[in-house]
Amino acid sequence: MIIFGTKGYLYQLAILTLVCAQCGNPAAHTLRKRVTKFTLFFVPLFPVSTKYTTQCTFCGAEQKVTKEQAEQLQAQAIGGGQGHGQQSQQQPYQS
């Protein structure tokens, strides 16, 4: 008997202040990475899918983002876009 399946993992990458596309409020958004891995005998072997999302902490709306957008948002959270005189935190993100 072979036991196989999938297991999901949720990673919180960053917390950003963005203007929500749903409610229009500037609020904190969590940047998350969801990874689904194939398991054999309850041992995760390799990733099957990877998805990135942001979730508004004000209204709870969740929006999918691409890997490139997630990397840009994560760099913004670390401070990569902060020192150039731009207020990039308050800009709405593209879906």
Side-chain angles (χ1 to χ4, degrees):
M1 177 196 283
I2 297 177
I3 300 173
F4 64 93
T6 59
K7 182 174 181 182
Y9 296 89
L10 183 63
Y11 302 100
Q12 182 170 318
L13 302 176
I15 298 177
L16 303 143
T17 302
L18 301 169
V19 176
C20 181
Q22 185 74 23
C23 65
N25 291 315
H29 285 69
T30 55
L31 177 62
R32 296 180 177 159
K33 176 181 175 180
R34 297 177 195 259
V35 179
T36 304
K37 293 187 177 182
F38 177 79
T39 60
L40 183 63
F41 293 106
F42 306 106
V43 177
L45 296 178
F46 55 89
V48 177
S49 72
T50 303
K51 297 178 183 176
Y52 296 90
T53 59
T54 59
Q55 184 176 19
C56 178
T57 57
F58 188 80
C59 68
E62 193 168 324
Q63 187 163 355
K64 293 180 183 178
V65 293
T66 64
K67 181 179 179 180
E68 293 79 22
Q69 288 173 330
E71 289 171 354
Q72 288 175 354
L73 290 171
Q74 193 171 10
Q76 177 182 341
I78 293 171
Q82 297 294 325
H84 303 291
Q86 300 171 349
Q87 293 184 356
S88 58
Q89 286 187 343
Q90 298 295 323
Q91 297 297 321
Y93 53 91
Q94 307 278 332
S95 61

